[in-house]
Amino acid sequence: MSIDVFYFSGTGNSLQVARQIARHVDAWLRPIATYDRQTEPIGPEDALGVVFPVHGFSLPRVVETFLKRVDLCRYEYIFVVSTKGGSPDLVVRDVSRLARRQRRTVDAFFSLSMPNNTHFIHDLDTDDEVDQKVRRAEEDVLRIATVVQLRDKYIPPQAKTFSLTLLGAVHRFLSLTEFGGFGRRFSTTSACTHCGVCVTVCPSRRIVMGKGRVSWDTGHPCYVCSACVNYCPAQAIRNRGLKPSRTQPSSQYHHPAVRALDIAAQTET
Ligand SMILES: Cc1cc2nc3c(=O)[nH]c(=O)nc-3n(C[C@H](O)[C@H](O)[C@H](O)COP(=O)(O)O)c2cc1C
């Protein structure tokens, strides 16, 4: 009886949660970003966990693609953990719909409030808020691990309101358009030192370094994960769609325990 924990993460919140769950329940940690390129077969695990950030009120497109491709029926127990900045979301509804396409249900859903990693939607958290949320998430992970170990069911109640339908429409628009073109508006400022960190952390391999110049190859999808903006050591990545945060004009966020190299590892095959 063993467990696959697949994860996707831009700034480490979901990676850290996935790592901690994997440690507690003794699971294999597998990056969603390399699933398409993976050559070795996935082992005979009987349980599947999927951990990812909420993007635009639901799951990131790369996670949606993964859930359409992975054979859910080969797992006896499936759990889903989403991390988010704090807005309402449609994860339970949308993942359940994807599972139903394979005549499968998800056994447990968990949602963790973690530090926000983009001021596209909300302001970033203060240092104190980051500390609090990170600590609370660590406690929540222990509860999740217990439920998973016991293979218990946990489906949180879902409100069925008009606003959820509206959020669904907004999510579809954002997902199909790389956040209204946001994913196509990255550039570097003169502070860029061409260190290449952005190239290595980008989970879609979209960022390329050519002749001392960083550019975004629009032939690759942008997962809009904000890893490049948040891990740039020179804070040199800008997006024309990203207004300066009101409270922290030049700040960045990534999970304190997750380094750029850890994020980069999710694309190493
Ligand atoms: C493009 C984008 C969209 C986001 N949309 C939402 C959202 O709709 N609701 C929310 O609560 N948080 C949202 N967030 C915040 C992240 O879900 C949250 O910070 C998450 O824990 C980041 O996880 P990661 O570090 O594993 O990438 C968004 C972040 C990004 C980059």
Side-chain angles (χ1 to χ4, degrees):
M1 300 279 269
S2 55
I3 307 178
D4 281 328
V5 174
F6 277 91
Y7 72 92
F8 173 72
S9 184
T11 54
N13 288 348
S14 312
L15 170 54
Q16 181 66 2
V17 166
R19 287 203 290 214
Q20 289 174 331
I21 294 174
R23 206 175 303 137
H24 287 299
V25 302
D26 195 18
W28 294 97
L29 199 55
R30 304 186 190 276
I32 287 176
T34 53
Y35 176 71
D36 285 353
R37 302 172 180 88
Q38 204 153 319
T39 46
E40 62 180 272
I42 299 170
E45 277 63 49
D46 75 311
L48 169 71
V50 189
V51 187
F52 56 84
V54 170
H55 278 182
F57 313 113
S58 190
L59 52 165
R61 206 151 177 215
V62 58
V63 178
E64 185 179 331
T65 306
F66 166 76
L67 284 170
K68 285 178 181 163
R69 285 178 46 116
V70 71
D71 179 6
L72 298 177
C73 293
R74 54 165 290 191
Y75 294 101
E76 280 168 32
Y77 180 82
I78 301 175
F79 68 97
V80 165
V81 184
S82 54
T83 73
K84 64 177 185 178
S87 74
D89 68 77
L90 305 161
V91 167
V92 174
R93 184 196 79 169
D94 291 351
V95 174
S96 301
R97 281 182 181 169
L98 288 169
R100 266 202 303 276
R101 288 161 64 125
Q102 299 191 35
R103 297 176 200 284
R104 195 63 183 82
T105 51
V106 172
D107 298 285
F109 283 96
F110 308 95
S111 167
L112 299 185
S113 265
M114 296 205 61
N116 180 30
N117 66 350
T118 178
H119 34 91
F120 181 69
I121 295 181
H122 306 285
D123 271 358
L124 297 185
D125 294 276
T126 62
D127 290 348
D128 282 349
E129 286 166 340
V130 167
D131 280 352
Q132 268 179 26
K133 286 185 170 183
V134 164
R135 229 174 308 120
R136 211 173 312 132
E138 281 173 12
E139 291 162 16
D140 289 342
V141 161
L142 290 176
R143 278 191 284 275
I144 295 172
T146 307
V147 173
V148 169
Q149 261 160 341
L150 296 171
R151 304 289 198 264
D152 268 350
K153 300 218 178 264
Y154 180 68
I155 311 289
Q158 288 300 285
K160 275 191 192 151
T161 63
F162 172 71
S163 60
L164 290 190
T165 313
L166 190 66
L167 285 190
V170 174
H171 170 72
R172 251 190 324 280
F173 167 77
L174 293 173
S175 175
L176 291 173
T177 59
E178 289 182 358
F179 279 71
F182 180 75
R184 291 188 292 277
R185 293 195 211 111
F186 287 105
S187 59
T188 48
T189 67
S190 56
C192 173
T193 61
H194 313 113
C195 65
V197 168
C198 55
V199 177
T200 56
V201 294
C202 175
S204 84
R205 300 176 170 87
R206 187 182 221 198
I207 308 178
V208 284
M209 177 83 71
K211 298 201 176 112
R213 197 174 154 266
V214 173
S215 58
W216 276 257
D217 174 0
T218 48
H220 287 251
C222 175
Y223 297 154
V224 207
C225 66
S226 85
C228 56
V229 173
N230 284 300
Y231 278 103
C232 172
Q235 300 196 359
I237 297 180
R238 291 285 173 269
N239 188 300
R240 279 182 282 126
L242 202 57
K243 310 258 179 316
S245 162
R246 276 179 288 122
T247 52
Q248 296 161 296
S250 62
S251 67
Q252 296 169 306
Y253 170 78
H254 62 76
H255 191 286
V258 180
R259 299 159 310 152
L261 276 179
D262 302 319
I263 294 295
Q266 70 186 314
T267 44
E268 282 162 13
T269 40

